[in-house]
Amino acid sequence: MIHKTEYEKIINKGIIPCFEINTAVIYFEPTDKGFAVGTACNIGLLKDFEYIYDSDFSFDENLNGLHEQVIEYYEEVEV
């Protein structure tokens, strides 16, 4: 699964993948289908939704799609 490999490359560089929305930090981590998306607490990710990875598009294109979905989701939900 290419998205897991690409995600691991980011983590291995010491970068924690996340988006800043309003005053919240939204994290994502790979799953079998795509990315689990949510906020974090002391026990890990609190999943709000899952973004399905589309293997017809590149990793970067999927990240752009994920970002759009994160903005759309968290505009409707107060974090």
Side-chain angles (χ1 to χ4, degrees):
M1 298 187 163
I2 188 131
H3 68 286
K4 289 185 178 181
T5 305
E6 292 296 323
Y7 184 89
E8 287 174 8
K9 287 180 187 177
I10 294 170
I11 294 293
N12 289 337
K13 290 180 183 176
I15 299 169
I16 298 180
C18 63
F19 300 110
E20 291 183 36
I21 305 295
N22 299 325
T23 59
V25 178
I26 309 302
Y27 297 92
F28 60 98
E29 57 186 30
T31 65
D32 290 338
K33 296 179 183 178
F35 295 104
V37 181
T39 55
C41 70
N42 60 342
I43 60 167
L45 184 74
L46 299 173
K47 181 180 164 185
D48 289 325
F49 69 93
E50 185 162 347
Y51 175 81
I52 305 302
Y53 190 88
D54 188 343
S55 57
D56 291 336
F57 295 96
S58 71
F59 183 74
D60 288 340
E61 290 170 316
N62 273 280
L63 286 183
N64 284 331
L66 171 61
H67 184 249
E68 289 172 11
Q69 202 168 16
V70 164
I71 289 171
E72 187 177 297
Y73 180 86
Y74 290 102
E75 280 181 347
E76 297 173 4
V77 176
E78 189 173 320
V79 285

